[in-house]
Amino acid sequence: MSFQIPTEQWAQVLEKTGGTVVHKKIPVPKPGPDEVLINIKYSGVCHTDLHAVKGDWPLATKIPLVGGHEGAGVVVARGELVNDIQIGDYAGIKWLNGSCLSCSFCRTANEPLCPKPDLSGYTVDGSFQQYAIGKAAHVARIPKECDLEAIAPILCAGLTVYKGLKESGARPGEFVAIVGAGGGLGSMALQYARAMGLHAIAIDGGAEKEKMCKELGATTYVDFTTSKNLVEDVKKATPEGYGPHAVLLLAVTEKPFQQASEYVRSHGTIVCVGLPANAFLKAPVFDTVTRMINIKGSYVGNRQDTAEAIDFFRRGLIKAPYKVVGLSKLQEVFDLMEAGKIAGRYVVDTSQ
Ligand code: NAD
Ligand code: ZN
């Protein structure tokens, strides 16, 4: 199988941190010896892409930058060292585009912690273009029976929350509070939690997100914009009122990160996943000690987590809502995201 690869393509390019993205034509990149070129069909839009545009984090992006790290498509070219992925295979660009594979983190399957990572749509160009490059060792293998449009958000949102739920240690039958449940990661978390046999308490704002969260399997919805006592409302949603066994923090503001230790069950685990700008964690030492609270971070997932997260999707267990718009409309998606108005995920179609 071979594909006609054009020399130019449409992309969304950020030319200045804090600016807006520009829809324009740029050259199609060529894969290096250990890389593949993927014809991206669809890409999910993650809040991380918006953090990159705004320069929210203490880590600079490349400039000019093509963002995006939930890109699903077809392998159209490969370097001469690549032999375990074929032209015509489905593959995905995820956040971790590449890592050294030889440091002690990579050797122990902790490749997201590699000190020399390539980050898609951040330190290397990502999936908001029609042709993107990924290291062959890292691109997600997507089974042929999967729909490329629906699987795109699994490549970051799905993978990240699946890993976060595993890191929480919550077991089937236990309760997990999902903070930011109405967003892209949150909607996926509700589906993975259900598939993993967990009860989910959804926390987010507004009626549209409430409806979506309940449809996705949340046992209770707590609206942070209207609740008079959020801590009590969350605790009340658990059988003895002791609070959820785990909390998955996916929100993009600092306050819920401070609040979680007030309602997590004693001996429970708080997993920080969201990355609000300039935010700090603060928890009372007395409660943390005497209630034996665990607080930890969780960062995307490794290649095995990716394969498992995709397999949950392949089996039909994960159906989270998404809306498709053309790549040319990316800035409008960012504007809606900034306003907190997206229930679920947006996916851009690179052909439009
Ligand atoms: P999103 O904008 O789709 O969703 C965020 C949700 O948080 C929104 O629904 C919003 O209403 C809700 N929210 C805001 N304040 C809240 C509060 N006080 N209480 C409850 N909910 C609140 O964003 P997303 O794409 O789901 O990403 C979420 C965060 O996760 C971002 O910061 C992103 O960068 C981060 N992220 C981290 C990893 C990782 O590996 N750790 C991976 C991907 C994304
Ligand atoms: Zn992401």
Side-chain angles (χ1 to χ4, degrees), residues 45-48 51 57 156 160 179-180 182-186 203-205 209 224 250-253 256 273-276 298-300 337 340 342 344-345:
V45 184
C46 179
H47 207 111
T48 291
H51 290 305
W57 296 344
C156 175
T160 301
V179 188
L185 267 64
I203 308 173
D204 210 311
K209 290 179 183 176
F224 79 92
L250 310 173
V252 286
T253 48
V273 172
L275 288 157
S298 185
Y299 182 42
V300 286
M337 185 175 266
I342 300 179
R345 216 18 149 213

PDB file of all heavy atoms in Angstrom, residues 45-48 51 57 156 160 179-180 182-186 203-205 209 224 250-253 256 273-276 298-300 337 340 342 344-345, ligand 1:
ATOM      1  N   VAL A  45      -9.697  18.206  21.087  1.00  0.00           N
ATOM      2  CA  VAL A  45      -9.133  19.458  21.603  1.00  0.00           C
ATOM      3  C   VAL A  45      -9.148  19.384  23.115  1.00  0.00           C
ATOM      4  O   VAL A  45     -10.214  19.313  23.736  1.00  0.00           O
ATOM      5  CB  VAL A  45      -9.938  20.682  21.114  1.00  0.00           C
ATOM      6  CG1 VAL A  45      -9.272  21.974  21.581  1.00  0.00           C
ATOM      7  CG2 VAL A  45     -10.101  20.655  19.593  1.00  0.00           C
ATOM      8  N   CYS A  46      -7.951  19.360  23.712  1.00  0.00           N
ATOM      9  CA  CYS A  46      -7.786  19.186  25.160  1.00  0.00           C
ATOM     10  C   CYS A  46      -7.530  20.554  25.785  1.00  0.00           C
ATOM     11  O   CYS A  46      -6.961  21.445  25.149  1.00  0.00           O
ATOM     12  CB  CYS A  46      -6.596  18.261  25.385  1.00  0.00           C
ATOM     13  SG  CYS A  46      -6.188  17.937  27.120  1.00  0.00           S
ATOM     14  N   HIS A  47      -7.891  20.700  27.057  1.00  0.00           N
ATOM     15  CA  HIS A  47      -7.627  21.981  27.729  1.00  0.00           C
ATOM     16  C   HIS A  47      -6.124  22.267  27.791  1.00  0.00           C
ATOM     17  O   HIS A  47      -5.709  23.418  27.850  1.00  0.00           O
ATOM     18  CB  HIS A  47      -8.253  21.984  29.127  1.00  0.00           C
ATOM     19  CG  HIS A  47      -8.606  23.347  29.611  1.00  0.00           C
ATOM     20  ND1 HIS A  47      -9.897  23.791  29.785  1.00  0.00           N
ATOM     21  CD2 HIS A  47      -7.809  24.400  29.942  1.00  0.00           C
ATOM     22  CE1 HIS A  47      -9.880  25.053  30.208  1.00  0.00           C
ATOM     23  NE2 HIS A  47      -8.626  25.435  30.317  1.00  0.00           N
ATOM     24  N   THR A  48      -5.313  21.209  27.737  1.00  0.00           N
ATOM     25  CA  THR A  48      -3.859  21.393  27.686  1.00  0.00           C
ATOM     26  C   THR A  48      -3.462  22.248  26.474  1.00  0.00           C
ATOM     27  O   THR A  48      -2.535  23.071  26.558  1.00  0.00           O
ATOM     28  CB  THR A  48      -3.168  20.015  27.618  1.00  0.00           C
ATOM     29  OG1 THR A  48      -3.362  19.371  28.876  1.00  0.00           O
ATOM     30  CG2 THR A  48      -1.679  20.121  27.329  1.00  0.00           C
ATOM     31  N   HIS A  51      -3.991  25.708  27.525  1.00  0.00           N
ATOM     32  CA  HIS A  51      -2.908  26.135  28.439  1.00  0.00           C
ATOM     33  C   HIS A  51      -1.663  26.494  27.618  1.00  0.00           C
ATOM     34  O   HIS A  51      -0.955  27.453  27.929  1.00  0.00           O
ATOM     35  CB  HIS A  51      -2.525  25.009  29.411  1.00  0.00           C
ATOM     36  CG  HIS A  51      -3.552  24.682  30.466  1.00  0.00           C
ATOM     37  ND1 HIS A  51      -4.076  25.618  31.324  1.00  0.00           N
ATOM     38  CD2 HIS A  51      -4.121  23.494  30.828  1.00  0.00           C
ATOM     39  CE1 HIS A  51      -4.934  25.027  32.168  1.00  0.00           C
ATOM     40  NE2 HIS A  51      -4.974  23.733  31.878  1.00  0.00           N
ATOM     41  N   TRP A  57       1.827  27.518  31.820  1.00  0.00           N
ATOM     42  CA  TRP A  57       2.674  26.617  32.622  1.00  0.00           C
ATOM     43  C   TRP A  57       4.138  27.070  32.653  1.00  0.00           C
ATOM     44  O   TRP A  57       4.607  27.749  31.735  1.00  0.00           O
ATOM     45  CB  TRP A  57       2.618  25.196  32.048  1.00  0.00           C
ATOM     46  CG  TRP A  57       1.271  24.554  32.120  1.00  0.00           C
ATOM     47  CD1 TRP A  57       0.204  24.937  32.875  1.00  0.00           C
ATOM     48  CD2 TRP A  57       0.850  23.396  31.385  1.00  0.00           C
ATOM     49  NE1 TRP A  57      -0.855  24.083  32.660  1.00  0.00           N
ATOM     50  CE2 TRP A  57      -0.486  23.129  31.754  1.00  0.00           C
ATOM     51  CE3 TRP A  57       1.474  22.541  30.467  1.00  0.00           C
ATOM     52  CZ2 TRP A  57      -1.208  22.053  31.235  1.00  0.00           C
ATOM     53  CZ3 TRP A  57       0.753  21.464  29.949  1.00  0.00           C
ATOM     54  CH2 TRP A  57      -0.573  21.229  30.338  1.00  0.00           C
ATOM     55  N   CYS A 156      -5.813  11.200  24.707  1.00  0.00           N
ATOM     56  CA  CYS A 156      -5.318  11.904  25.904  1.00  0.00           C
ATOM     57  C   CYS A 156      -6.339  11.775  27.032  1.00  0.00           C
ATOM     58  O   CYS A 156      -6.048  11.216  28.069  1.00  0.00           O
ATOM     59  CB  CYS A 156      -5.002  13.375  25.641  1.00  0.00           C
ATOM     60  SG  CYS A 156      -4.532  14.231  27.165  1.00  0.00           S
ATOM     61  N   THR A 160      -5.631   9.379  30.131  1.00  0.00           N
ATOM     62  CA  THR A 160      -5.255  10.070  31.373  1.00  0.00           C
ATOM     63  C   THR A 160      -6.181   9.712  32.527  1.00  0.00           C
ATOM     64  O   THR A 160      -5.729   9.455  33.647  1.00  0.00           O
ATOM     65  CB  THR A 160      -5.258  11.591  31.140  1.00  0.00           C
ATOM     66  OG1 THR A 160      -4.327  11.888  30.099  1.00  0.00           O
ATOM     67  CG2 THR A 160      -4.886  12.355  32.394  1.00  0.00           C
ATOM     68  N   VAL A 179     -14.049  15.538  39.808  1.00  0.00           N
ATOM     69  CA  VAL A 179     -14.181  16.996  39.901  1.00  0.00           C
ATOM     70  C   VAL A 179     -13.826  17.599  38.543  1.00  0.00           C
ATOM     71  O   VAL A 179     -12.692  17.472  38.086  1.00  0.00           O
ATOM     72  CB  VAL A 179     -13.257  17.544  41.008  1.00  0.00           C
ATOM     73  CG1 VAL A 179     -13.538  19.023  41.232  1.00  0.00           C
ATOM     74  CG2 VAL A 179     -13.433  16.746  42.291  1.00  0.00           C
ATOM     75  N   GLY A 180     -14.826  18.244  37.915  1.00  0.00           N
ATOM     76  CA  GLY A 180     -14.674  18.677  36.526  1.00  0.00           C
ATOM     77  C   GLY A 180     -15.267  17.614  35.607  1.00  0.00           C
ATOM     78  O   GLY A 180     -14.847  17.443  34.463  1.00  0.00           O
ATOM     79  N   GLY A 182     -17.921  17.407  33.964  1.00  0.00           N
ATOM     80  CA  GLY A 182     -18.634  17.803  32.744  1.00  0.00           C
ATOM     81  C   GLY A 182     -17.713  18.139  31.585  1.00  0.00           C
ATOM     82  O   GLY A 182     -18.169  18.370  30.467  1.00  0.00           O
ATOM     83  N   GLY A 183     -16.406  18.168  31.818  1.00  0.00           N
ATOM     84  CA  GLY A 183     -15.465  18.529  30.754  1.00  0.00           C
ATOM     85  C   GLY A 183     -15.041  17.317  29.942  1.00  0.00           C
ATOM     86  O   GLY A 183     -15.642  16.239  30.018  1.00  0.00           O
ATOM     87  N   GLY A 184     -13.975  17.519  29.154  1.00  0.00           N
ATOM     88  CA  GLY A 184     -13.505  16.450  28.273  1.00  0.00           C
ATOM     89  C   GLY A 184     -12.976  15.261  29.051  1.00  0.00           C
ATOM     90  O   GLY A 184     -13.395  14.115  28.835  1.00  0.00           O
ATOM     91  N   LEU A 185     -12.052  15.499  29.982  1.00  0.00           N
ATOM     92  CA  LEU A 185     -11.529  14.391  30.780  1.00  0.00           C
ATOM     93  C   LEU A 185     -12.628  13.811  31.669  1.00  0.00           C
ATOM     94  O   LEU A 185     -12.740  12.596  31.842  1.00  0.00           O
ATOM     95  CB  LEU A 185     -10.335  14.853  31.648  1.00  0.00           C
ATOM     96  CG  LEU A 185      -8.943  14.660  31.015  1.00  0.00           C
ATOM     97  CD1 LEU A 185      -8.771  15.499  29.767  1.00  0.00           C
ATOM     98  CD2 LEU A 185      -7.839  14.973  32.015  1.00  0.00           C
ATOM     99  N   GLY A 186     -13.450  14.716  32.230  1.00  0.00           N
ATOM    100  CA  GLY A 186     -14.492  14.279  33.148  1.00  0.00           C
ATOM    101  C   GLY A 186     -15.487  13.324  32.516  1.00  0.00           C
ATOM    102  O   GLY A 186     -15.855  12.299  33.105  1.00  0.00           O
ATOM    103  N   ILE A 203     -18.857  16.276  39.935  1.00  0.00           N
ATOM    104  CA  ILE A 203     -18.884  17.659  40.414  1.00  0.00           C
ATOM    105  C   ILE A 203     -18.535  18.575  39.249  1.00  0.00           C
ATOM    106  O   ILE A 203     -17.478  18.422  38.614  1.00  0.00           O
ATOM    107  CB  ILE A 203     -17.873  17.879  41.567  1.00  0.00           C
ATOM    108  CG1 ILE A 203     -18.080  16.834  42.665  1.00  0.00           C
ATOM    109  CG2 ILE A 203     -17.984  19.300  42.115  1.00  0.00           C
ATOM    110  CD1 ILE A 203     -17.037  16.869  43.767  1.00  0.00           C
ATOM    111  N   ASP A 204     -19.440  19.475  38.918  1.00  0.00           N
ATOM    112  CA  ASP A 204     -19.186  20.475  37.879  1.00  0.00           C
ATOM    113  C   ASP A 204     -20.298  21.510  37.983  1.00  0.00           C
ATOM    114  O   ASP A 204     -21.040  21.507  38.970  1.00  0.00           O
ATOM    115  CB  ASP A 204     -19.107  19.828  36.479  1.00  0.00           C
ATOM    116  CG  ASP A 204     -18.159  20.608  35.549  1.00  0.00           C
ATOM    117  OD1 ASP A 204     -18.298  21.840  35.471  1.00  0.00           O
ATOM    118  OD2 ASP A 204     -17.294  19.996  34.923  1.00  0.00           O
ATOM    119  N   GLY A 205     -20.414  22.404  36.990  1.00  0.00           N
ATOM    120  CA  GLY A 205     -21.404  23.475  37.081  1.00  0.00           C
ATOM    121  C   GLY A 205     -22.392  23.490  35.924  1.00  0.00           C
ATOM    122  O   GLY A 205     -22.007  23.254  34.776  1.00  0.00           O
ATOM    123  N   LYS A 209     -24.305  20.221  31.889  1.00  0.00           N
ATOM    124  CA  LYS A 209     -23.308  19.240  32.341  1.00  0.00           C
ATOM    125  C   LYS A 209     -23.950  18.218  33.284  1.00  0.00           C
ATOM    126  O   LYS A 209     -23.594  17.045  33.279  1.00  0.00           O
ATOM    127  CB  LYS A 209     -22.113  19.948  32.980  1.00  0.00           C
ATOM    128  CG  LYS A 209     -21.291  20.710  31.921  1.00  0.00           C
ATOM    129  CD  LYS A 209     -20.103  21.448  32.469  1.00  0.00           C
ATOM    130  CE  LYS A 209     -19.430  22.222  31.339  1.00  0.00           C
ATOM    131  NZ  LYS A 209     -18.309  23.049  31.766  1.00  0.00           N
ATOM    132  N   PHE A 224     -21.073  22.841  41.664  1.00  0.00           N
ATOM    133  CA  PHE A 224     -20.202  23.693  42.487  1.00  0.00           C
ATOM    134  C   PHE A 224     -20.605  25.162  42.413  1.00  0.00           C
ATOM    135  O   PHE A 224     -20.208  25.965  43.247  1.00  0.00           O
ATOM    136  CB  PHE A 224     -18.718  23.510  42.098  1.00  0.00           C
ATOM    137  CG  PHE A 224     -18.272  24.246  40.853  1.00  0.00           C
ATOM    138  CD1 PHE A 224     -17.737  25.533  40.935  1.00  0.00           C
ATOM    139  CD2 PHE A 224     -18.385  23.655  39.599  1.00  0.00           C
ATOM    140  CE1 PHE A 224     -17.316  26.212  39.787  1.00  0.00           C
ATOM    141  CE2 PHE A 224     -17.964  24.320  38.455  1.00  0.00           C
ATOM    142  CZ  PHE A 224     -17.440  25.603  38.534  1.00  0.00           C
ATOM    143  N   LEU A 250      -9.904  17.006  38.111  1.00  0.00           N
ATOM    144  CA  LEU A 250      -9.699  17.304  36.690  1.00  0.00           C
ATOM    145  C   LEU A 250      -9.986  18.770  36.391  1.00  0.00           C
ATOM    146  O   LEU A 250      -9.943  19.186  35.235  1.00  0.00           O
ATOM    147  CB  LEU A 250     -10.639  16.433  35.834  1.00  0.00           C
ATOM    148  CG  LEU A 250     -10.638  14.936  36.156  1.00  0.00           C
ATOM    149  CD1 LEU A 250     -11.737  14.234  35.365  1.00  0.00           C
ATOM    150  CD2 LEU A 250      -9.277  14.322  35.835  1.00  0.00           C
ATOM    151  N   ALA A 251     -10.301  19.534  37.417  1.00  0.00           N
ATOM    152  CA  ALA A 251     -10.752  20.922  37.200  1.00  0.00           C
ATOM    153  C   ALA A 251      -9.592  21.824  36.798  1.00  0.00           C
ATOM    154  O   ALA A 251      -8.425  21.497  36.978  1.00  0.00           O
ATOM    155  CB  ALA A 251     -11.429  21.444  38.461  1.00  0.00           C
ATOM    156  N   VAL A 252      -9.966  22.960  36.241  1.00  0.00           N
ATOM    157  CA  VAL A 252      -8.959  23.899  35.737  1.00  0.00           C
ATOM    158  C   VAL A 252      -8.858  25.140  36.629  1.00  0.00           C
ATOM    159  O   VAL A 252      -8.379  26.179  36.214  1.00  0.00           O
ATOM    160  CB  VAL A 252      -9.277  24.291  34.275  1.00  0.00           C
ATOM    161  CG1 VAL A 252      -8.953  23.138  33.347  1.00  0.00           C
ATOM    162  CG2 VAL A 252     -10.744  24.688  34.103  1.00  0.00           C
ATOM    163  N   THR A 253      -9.342  25.013  37.884  1.00  0.00           N
ATOM    164  CA  THR A 253      -9.195  26.094  38.857  1.00  0.00           C
ATOM    165  C   THR A 253      -8.604  25.493  40.141  1.00  0.00           C
ATOM    166  O   THR A 253      -8.696  24.282  40.361  1.00  0.00           O
ATOM    167  CB  THR A 253     -10.556  26.750  39.190  1.00  0.00           C
ATOM    168  OG1 THR A 253     -11.489  25.701  39.472  1.00  0.00           O
ATOM    169  CG2 THR A 253     -11.069  27.573  38.019  1.00  0.00           C
ATOM    170  N   PRO A 256     -10.912  23.656  43.995  1.00  0.00           N
ATOM    171  CA  PRO A 256     -11.240  22.255  44.324  1.00  0.00           C
ATOM    172  C   PRO A 256     -10.032  21.424  44.766  1.00  0.00           C
ATOM    173  O   PRO A 256     -10.202  20.422  45.468  1.00  0.00           O
ATOM    174  CB  PRO A 256     -11.837  21.711  43.021  1.00  0.00           C
ATOM    175  CG  PRO A 256     -11.577  22.713  41.973  1.00  0.00           C
ATOM    176  CD  PRO A 256     -11.315  24.024  42.626  1.00  0.00           C
ATOM    177  N   VAL A 273      -4.888  15.696  38.615  1.00  0.00           N
ATOM    178  CA  VAL A 273      -4.684  15.501  37.174  1.00  0.00           C
ATOM    179  C   VAL A 273      -4.767  16.836  36.436  1.00  0.00           C
ATOM    180  O   VAL A 273      -3.960  17.125  35.550  1.00  0.00           O
ATOM    181  CB  VAL A 273      -5.727  14.498  36.612  1.00  0.00           C
ATOM    182  CG1 VAL A 273      -5.659  14.427  35.093  1.00  0.00           C
ATOM    183  CG2 VAL A 273      -5.524  13.107  37.215  1.00  0.00           C
ATOM    184  N   GLY A 274      -5.733  17.654  36.791  1.00  0.00           N
ATOM    185  CA  GLY A 274      -5.882  18.978  36.171  1.00  0.00           C
ATOM    186  C   GLY A 274      -4.664  19.831  36.479  1.00  0.00           C
ATOM    187  O   GLY A 274      -3.972  19.607  37.478  1.00  0.00           O
ATOM    188  N   LEU A 275      -4.401  20.794  35.590  1.00  0.00           N
ATOM    189  CA  LEU A 275      -3.176  21.592  35.713  1.00  0.00           C
ATOM    190  C   LEU A 275      -3.481  23.097  35.635  1.00  0.00           C
ATOM    191  O   LEU A 275      -3.005  23.782  34.721  1.00  0.00           O
ATOM    192  CB  LEU A 275      -2.199  21.186  34.601  1.00  0.00           C
ATOM    193  CG  LEU A 275      -1.558  19.796  34.778  1.00  0.00           C
ATOM    194  CD1 LEU A 275      -1.080  19.241  33.448  1.00  0.00           C
ATOM    195  CD2 LEU A 275      -0.407  19.880  35.760  1.00  0.00           C
ATOM    196  N   PRO A 276      -4.283  23.622  36.604  1.00  0.00           N
ATOM    197  CA  PRO A 276      -4.589  25.055  36.566  1.00  0.00           C
ATOM    198  C   PRO A 276      -3.315  25.900  36.700  1.00  0.00           C
ATOM    199  O   PRO A 276      -2.365  25.468  37.361  1.00  0.00           O
ATOM    200  CB  PRO A 276      -5.507  25.258  37.775  1.00  0.00           C
ATOM    201  CG  PRO A 276      -5.398  24.039  38.616  1.00  0.00           C
ATOM    202  CD  PRO A 276      -4.902  22.933  37.748  1.00  0.00           C
ATOM    203  N   SER A 298      -1.025  12.378  38.852  1.00  0.00           N
ATOM    204  CA  SER A 298      -1.045  11.346  37.802  1.00  0.00           C
ATOM    205  C   SER A 298      -0.922  12.053  36.457  1.00  0.00           C
ATOM    206  O   SER A 298      -1.625  13.037  36.199  1.00  0.00           O
ATOM    207  CB  SER A 298      -2.339  10.532  37.869  1.00  0.00           C
ATOM    208  OG  SER A 298      -2.308   9.467  36.931  1.00  0.00           O
ATOM    209  N   TYR A 299      -0.018  11.549  35.634  1.00  0.00           N
ATOM    210  CA  TYR A 299       0.351  12.252  34.402  1.00  0.00           C
ATOM    211  C   TYR A 299       0.226  11.285  33.219  1.00  0.00           C
ATOM    212  O   TYR A 299       0.932  10.263  33.198  1.00  0.00           O
ATOM    213  CB  TYR A 299       1.794  12.737  34.582  1.00  0.00           C
ATOM    214  CG  TYR A 299       2.391  13.534  33.447  1.00  0.00           C
ATOM    215  CD1 TYR A 299       1.664  14.513  32.789  1.00  0.00           C
ATOM    216  CD2 TYR A 299       3.712  13.314  33.060  1.00  0.00           C
ATOM    217  CE1 TYR A 299       2.236  15.254  31.775  1.00  0.00           C
ATOM    218  CE2 TYR A 299       4.301  14.061  32.049  1.00  0.00           C
ATOM    219  CZ  TYR A 299       3.550  15.028  31.407  1.00  0.00           C
ATOM    220  OH  TYR A 299       4.120  15.751  30.401  1.00  0.00           O
ATOM    221  N   VAL A 300      -0.656  11.578  32.310  1.00  0.00           N
ATOM    222  CA  VAL A 300      -1.014  10.713  31.165  1.00  0.00           C
ATOM    223  C   VAL A 300      -0.896   9.216  31.514  1.00  0.00           C
ATOM    224  O   VAL A 300      -1.462   8.769  32.503  1.00  0.00           O
ATOM    225  CB  VAL A 300      -0.260  11.106  29.869  1.00  0.00           C
ATOM    226  CG1 VAL A 300      -0.868  12.403  29.310  1.00  0.00           C
ATOM    227  CG2 VAL A 300       1.239  11.256  30.028  1.00  0.00           C
ATOM    228  N   MET A 337     -14.074  26.864  25.285  1.00  0.00           N
ATOM    229  CA  MET A 337     -13.400  26.164  26.377  1.00  0.00           C
ATOM    230  C   MET A 337     -12.996  27.149  27.475  1.00  0.00           C
ATOM    231  O   MET A 337     -13.200  26.897  28.666  1.00  0.00           O
ATOM    232  CB  MET A 337     -12.171  25.443  25.820  1.00  0.00           C
ATOM    233  CG  MET A 337     -11.452  24.574  26.814  1.00  0.00           C
ATOM    234  SD  MET A 337     -10.117  23.688  26.001  1.00  0.00           S
ATOM    235  CE  MET A 337     -10.897  22.159  25.573  1.00  0.00           C
ATOM    236  N   GLY A 340     -15.659  27.888  29.708  1.00  0.00           N
ATOM    237  CA  GLY A 340     -16.194  26.740  30.465  1.00  0.00           C
ATOM    238  C   GLY A 340     -17.503  26.231  29.889  1.00  0.00           C
ATOM    239  O   GLY A 340     -18.318  25.633  30.582  1.00  0.00           O
ATOM    240  N   ILE A 342     -18.023  24.012  27.362  1.00  0.00           N
ATOM    241  CA  ILE A 342     -18.036  22.752  26.605  1.00  0.00           C
ATOM    242  C   ILE A 342     -18.400  21.587  27.525  1.00  0.00           C
ATOM    243  O   ILE A 342     -17.708  21.322  28.505  1.00  0.00           O
ATOM    244  CB  ILE A 342     -16.660  22.490  25.942  1.00  0.00           C
ATOM    245  CG1 ILE A 342     -16.327  23.642  24.967  1.00  0.00           C
ATOM    246  CG2 ILE A 342     -16.669  21.141  25.211  1.00  0.00           C
ATOM    247  CD1 ILE A 342     -14.976  23.494  24.270  1.00  0.00           C
ATOM    248  N   GLY A 344     -18.351  17.802  27.616  1.00  0.00           N
ATOM    249  CA  GLY A 344     -17.703  16.728  26.845  1.00  0.00           C
ATOM    250  C   GLY A 344     -16.539  17.296  26.040  1.00  0.00           C
ATOM    251  O   GLY A 344     -15.840  18.193  26.508  1.00  0.00           O
ATOM    252  N   ARG A 345     -16.339  16.789  24.837  1.00  0.00           N
ATOM    253  CA  ARG A 345     -15.156  17.119  24.040  1.00  0.00           C
ATOM    254  C   ARG A 345     -15.524  17.690  22.672  1.00  0.00           C
ATOM    255  O   ARG A 345     -16.567  17.310  22.119  1.00  0.00           O
ATOM    256  CB  ARG A 345     -14.402  15.810  23.806  1.00  0.00           C
ATOM    257  CG  ARG A 345     -12.928  15.677  23.761  1.00  0.00           C
ATOM    258  CD  ARG A 345     -12.034  16.678  24.308  1.00  0.00           C
ATOM    259  NE  ARG A 345     -10.784  16.176  24.827  1.00  0.00           N
ATOM    260  CZ  ARG A 345     -10.159  16.718  25.857  1.00  0.00           C
ATOM    261  NH1 ARG A 345     -10.651  17.752  26.490  1.00  0.00           N
ATOM    262  NH2 ARG A 345      -8.999  16.239  26.250  1.00  0.00           N
TER     263      ARG A 345
HETATM  264  P1  NAD B   1     -12.252  20.995  30.182  1.00  0.00           P
HETATM  265  O1  NAD B   1     -12.208  22.471  30.040  1.00  0.00           O
HETATM  266  O2  NAD B   1     -12.929  20.181  29.123  1.00  0.00           O
HETATM  267  O3  NAD B   1     -12.938  20.595  31.575  1.00  0.00           O
HETATM  268  C1  NAD B   1     -12.647  21.211  32.796  1.00  0.00           C
HETATM  269  C2  NAD B   1     -13.921  21.171  33.616  1.00  0.00           C
HETATM  270  O4  NAD B   1     -13.628  21.642  34.937  1.00  0.00           O
HETATM  271  C3  NAD B   1     -15.034  22.072  33.058  1.00  0.00           C
HETATM  272  O5  NAD B   1     -16.216  21.310  32.809  1.00  0.00           O
HETATM  273  C4  NAD B   1     -15.250  23.087  34.178  1.00  0.00           C
HETATM  274  O6  NAD B   1     -16.614  23.519  34.297  1.00  0.00           O
HETATM  275  C5  NAD B   1     -14.802  22.282  35.397  1.00  0.00           C
HETATM  276  N1  NAD B   1     -14.513  23.092  36.584  1.00  0.00           N
HETATM  277  C6  NAD B   1     -13.934  24.314  36.675  1.00  0.00           C
HETATM  278  N2  NAD B   1     -13.892  24.701  37.961  1.00  0.00           N
HETATM  279  C7  NAD B   1     -14.461  23.713  38.701  1.00  0.00           C
HETATM  280  C8  NAD B   1     -14.735  23.537  40.086  1.00  0.00           C
HETATM  281  N3  NAD B   1     -14.416  24.481  40.989  1.00  0.00           N
HETATM  282  N4  NAD B   1     -15.329  22.388  40.491  1.00  0.00           N
HETATM  283  C9  NAD B   1     -15.683  21.441  39.584  1.00  0.00           C
HETATM  284  N5  NAD B   1     -15.461  21.560  38.256  1.00  0.00           N
HETATM  285  C10 NAD B   1     -14.857  22.685  37.823  1.00  0.00           C
HETATM  286  O7  NAD B   1     -10.738  20.517  30.356  1.00  0.00           O
HETATM  287  P2  NAD B   1     -10.089  19.063  30.073  1.00  0.00           P
HETATM  288  O8  NAD B   1      -9.657  18.985  28.648  1.00  0.00           O
HETATM  289  O9  NAD B   1     -10.982  18.034  30.632  1.00  0.00           O
HETATM  290  O10 NAD B   1      -8.738  19.176  30.940  1.00  0.00           O
HETATM  291  C11 NAD B   1      -8.803  19.326  32.353  1.00  0.00           C
HETATM  292  C12 NAD B   1      -7.431  19.608  32.948  1.00  0.00           C
HETATM  293  O11 NAD B   1      -6.642  18.411  32.891  1.00  0.00           O
HETATM  294  C13 NAD B   1      -6.614  20.664  32.232  1.00  0.00           C
HETATM  295  O12 NAD B   1      -5.927  21.459  33.197  1.00  0.00           O
HETATM  296  C14 NAD B   1      -5.613  19.854  31.416  1.00  0.00           C
HETATM  297  O13 NAD B   1      -4.437  20.545  31.098  1.00  0.00           O
HETATM  298  C15 NAD B   1      -5.349  18.722  32.385  1.00  0.00           C
HETATM  299  N6  NAD B   1      -4.781  17.509  31.798  1.00  0.00           N
HETATM  300  C16 NAD B   1      -3.872  16.821  32.550  1.00  0.00           C
HETATM  301  C17 NAD B   1      -3.340  15.642  32.068  1.00  0.00           C
HETATM  302  C18 NAD B   1      -2.379  14.853  32.898  1.00  0.00           C
HETATM  303  O14 NAD B   1      -1.714  13.968  32.360  1.00  0.00           O
HETATM  304  N7  NAD B   1      -2.289  15.085  34.204  1.00  0.00           N
HETATM  305  C19 NAD B   1      -3.710  15.160  30.801  1.00  0.00           C
HETATM  306  C20 NAD B   1      -4.655  15.875  30.081  1.00  0.00           C
HETATM  307  C21 NAD B   1      -5.204  17.048  30.577  1.00  0.00           C
END
